[in-house]
């Protein structure tokens, strides 16, 4: 078995805040994929409070929205009826778990199985016109995207596997990722959608339409392969996803809360600085991290009981990095995902190629550790981190 142990603290790179020049001005932001109507609604909802320093970025985004609207109309005219008629025959596989819990690593590993259809970054950023533009932009203009993500050392690019949550954002669905545009505004956008049990019926229906449509899109584009989707916010939606996609499989990955909290805080600091239309003050970020976690796991713990036996598998990040091949084989066996043999060597080779990857090192004060233990006590107990 191949093993990749977590680097010791002495090996870890310090968790430094990324600088704006680490993410070039010309690189695409999430908002570059919005259509005119969605862009205007986003600005209006926040009173057009764009910081003067961010006006050039806002101007560039505004300039791209007419293209998105026109290309979206073209895709609708050419392929709309085909997308609507597409049936998702094979139950999707959803990877869930809190941000920074290892969902990306697991996504990268299972993506090595060519039997799965995994949305790439371009498809998730431009779902409303990927059919008509990916051949030009997604496959020939990859230099626009930095080689690494702004919040960690993971590889990035238009053709890399990506979270479907970004596609839902581009489609105008209610998603908490919209808060990154105006990170200083309180309350944050659509936090209640982290647990669909607590969302309004109207938002639930908007969300359902968006994710079902996107699932049809990728199914059609990949000729009926089984979907492999990953999104941390889906953690508190699994019961609803199971209803919309009968037979769907779920893989939940857990990680020590003492790693989750500082790493998630850094994630939002990075994304708010890079994606925000305001100069982020991060004044309410600490409470936002706590609140999101609690919302997600209220939904997860209730809805997991609605998932049929054999359709949900839980593992720990620490076990995955210790024995990636063995853990992935367990996933295939428990969820009946087919023959594991064809992907075994691919996973081993990938992990060998990542042997020099270094995780970020975080430090916390005793007060923060105590608050994490108090507020997330159920997670400590539930997943064996006591």
């Amino acid at each position: 078995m191949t093993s990749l142990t977590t680097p010791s603290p002495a090996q870890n790179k310090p968790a430094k805040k990324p600088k704006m020049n680490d993410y070039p001005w010309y690189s695409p932001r999430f908002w570059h994929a919005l259509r005119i109507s969605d862009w205007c609604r986003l600005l209006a909802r926040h009173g057009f409070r764009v910081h003067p320093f961010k006006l050039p970025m806002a101007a560039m985004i505004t300039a791209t929205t007419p293209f998105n609207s026109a290309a979206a109309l073209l895709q609708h005219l050419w392929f709309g009826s085909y997308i609507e008629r597409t049936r998702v025959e094979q139950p999707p596989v959803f990877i869930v778990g809190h941000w920074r819990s290892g969902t990306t690593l697991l996504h990268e590993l299972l993506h090595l199985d060519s039997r799965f259809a995994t949305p790439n970054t371009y498809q998730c950023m431009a779902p409303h016109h990927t059919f008509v533009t990916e051949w030009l932009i997604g496959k020939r203009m990859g230099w626009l995207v930095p080689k690494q993500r702004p919040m960690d050392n993971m590889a990035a690019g238009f053709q890399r596997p990506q979270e479907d949550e970004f596609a839902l954002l581009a489609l105008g669905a209610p998603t908490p990722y919209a808060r990154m545009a105006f990170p200083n505004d309180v309350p944050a956008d659509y936090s209640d959608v982290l647990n669909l049990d607590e969302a309004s019926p109207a938002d639930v229906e908007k969300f359902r339409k968006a994710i079902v449509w996107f699932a049809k899109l990728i199914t059609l584009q990949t000729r009926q392969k089984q979907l492999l989707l990953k999104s941390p916010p889906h953690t508190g939606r699994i019961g609803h996803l199971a209803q919309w996609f009968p037979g769907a499989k779920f893989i939940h990955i857990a990680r020590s809360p003492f790693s989750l909290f500082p790493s998630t805080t850094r994630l939002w600091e990075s994304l708010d600085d890079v994606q925000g239309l305001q100069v982020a003050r991060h004044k309410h970020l600490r409470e936002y991290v706590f609140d999101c976690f609690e919302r997600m796991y209220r939904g997860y713990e209730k809805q997991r009981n609605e998932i049929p036996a054999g359709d949900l598998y839980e593992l720990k990040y620490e076990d995955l990095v210790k024995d990636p091949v063995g853990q992935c084989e367990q996933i295939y066996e428990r969820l009946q995902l087919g023959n594991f043999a064809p992907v075994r060597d691919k996973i081993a080779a990938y992990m060998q190629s990542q042997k020099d990857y270094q995780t970020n090192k975080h430090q916390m004060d005793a007060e923060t550790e105590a608050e994490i233990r108090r507020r997330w006590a159920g997670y400590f107990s539930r997943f064996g981190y006591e």
Side-chain angles (χ1 to χ4, degrees):
M1 290 188 177
T2 301
S3 172
L4 180 73
T5 56
T6 305
S8 65
Q11 295 173 305
N12 290 347
K13 290 184 178 179
K16 66 181 181 69
K17 188 176 179 180
K19 301 176 182 178
M20 282 301 296
N21 58 10
D22 292 336
Y23 199 84
W25 65 270
Y26 55 77
S27 296
R29 269 68 177 177
F30 303 143
W31 326 114
H32 280 101
L34 297 182
R35 291 162 290 187
I36 295 175
S37 57
D38 295 325
W39 174 235
C40 290
R41 275 196 292 268
L42 177 64
L43 292 174
R45 193 164 64 243
H46 294 272
F48 297 88
R49 290 187 296 274
V50 178
H51 193 280
F53 290 168
K54 301 289 186 142
L55 286 174
M57 184 173 82
M60 286 184 60
I61 295 169
T62 302
T64 64
T65 56
F67 169 80
N68 292 327
S69 295
L73 177 60
L74 194 62
Q75 176 171 285
H76 175 72
L77 293 175
W78 284 359
F79 300 102
S81 62
Y82 294 102
I83 296 171
E84 290 297 336
R85 292 200 303 268
T86 298
R87 295 175 59 87
V88 182
E89 300 286 356
Q90 300 191 67
V93 177
F94 291 93
I95 297 174
V96 300
H98 195 271
W99 295 282
R100 316 304 298 143
S101 63
T103 56
T104 297
L105 173 60
L106 187 55
H107 199 206
E108 292 276 356
L109 293 177
L110 298 188
H111 161 70
L112 297 172
D113 190 336
S114 60
R115 291 169 291 186
F116 287 128
T118 309
N120 63 39
T121 298
Y122 189 79
Q123 291 166 338
C124 289
M125 287 192 68
H128 33 55
H129 57 72
T130 180
F131 261 116
V132 295
T133 61
E134 186 177 8
W135 67 273
L136 174 62
I137 302 175
K139 295 184 178 179
R140 291 170 174 78
M141 301 181 71
W143 52 271
L144 288 169
V145 183
K147 294 182 179 180
Q148 292 183 325
R149 305 195 305 182
M151 77 292 291
D152 56 25
N153 306 311
M154 294 293 288
F158 276 146
Q159 298 303 309
R160 303 294 301 179
Q162 187 56 270
E163 291 183 34
D164 57 288
E165 193 78 11
F166 294 117
L168 305 179
L169 175 66
L171 292 169
T175 161
Y177 283 11
R179 68 159 286 282
M180 287 182 283
F182 293 89
N184 297 331
D185 287 9
V186 177
D189 277 338
Y190 303 122
S191 292
D192 53 353
V193 184
L194 287 168
N195 176 2
L196 283 181
D197 288 346
E198 298 175 356
S200 70
D203 281 347
V204 172
E205 181 59 15
K206 288 178 184 176
F207 190 90
R208 183 195 69 81
K209 287 183 177 178
I211 194 167
V212 169
W213 185 90
F214 183 67
K216 290 181 176 182
L217 171 77
I218 301 301
T219 298
L220 177 61
Q221 203 163 13
T222 58
R223 300 180 181 179
Q224 289 292 338
K225 284 187 177 182
Q226 185 173 19
L227 297 176
L228 175 65
L229 303 175
K230 166 252 178 177
S231 177
H234 287 341
T235 304
R237 305 165 179 163
I238 58 174
H240 297 264
L241 294 171
Q243 293 177 16
W244 302 335
F245 300 99
K249 309 291 185 178
F250 299 92
I251 308 166
H252 177 276
I253 184 167
R255 190 178 187 181
S256 168
F258 291 136
S259 294
L260 291 182
F261 185 86
S263 189
T264 302
T265 301
R266 182 176 183 273
L267 165 73
W268 292 128
E269 288 176 346
S270 304
L271 291 175
D272 290 352
D273 289 342
V274 169
Q275 303 289 343
L277 297 168
Q278 299 172 326
V279 175
R281 298 191 299 268
H282 310 304
K283 182 178 178 181
H284 307 285
L285 185 56
R286 179 187 176 97
E287 180 57 30
Y288 181 74
V289 173
F290 277 118
D291 180 68
C292 285
F293 183 101
E294 290 157 4
R295 288 176 185 267
M296 289 167 68
Y297 280 94
R298 277 200 304 272
Y300 179 77
E301 290 301 331
K302 176 179 178 292
Q303 296 169 33
R304 66 183 297 275
N305 298 318
E306 303 168 12
I307 306 301
D311 287 350
L312 171 65
Y313 182 74
E314 297 178 336
L315 74 156
K316 296 168 71 171
Y317 170 80
E318 294 81 3
D319 294 334
L320 179 64
V321 296
K322 186 182 299 182
D323 182 14
V325 174
Q327 285 295 312
C328 289
E329 186 169 18
Q330 282 288 312
I331 292 171
Y332 273 68
E333 289 180 4
R334 296 292 185 87
L335 298 181
Q336 298 182 345
L337 298 181
N339 185 8
F340 181 69
V343 74
R344 177 189 296 274
D345 291 343
K346 293 181 181 180
I347 291 176
Y350 176 86
M351 295 306 285
Q352 180 64 25
S353 73
Q354 300 296 306
K355 64 181 180 181
D356 295 328
Y357 173 79
Q358 296 179 335
T359 58
N360 290 308
K361 180 175 65 175
H362 304 278
Q363 294 181 342
M364 287 187 299
D365 56 74
E367 180 182 354
T368 300
E369 288 189 1
E371 188 171 7
I372 292 170
R373 185 173 290 279
R374 177 180 64 83
R375 294 187 64 169
W376 297 355
Y379 188 97
F380 277 93
S381 176
R382 171 77 171 76
F383 296 106
Y385 288 105
E386 291 182 312

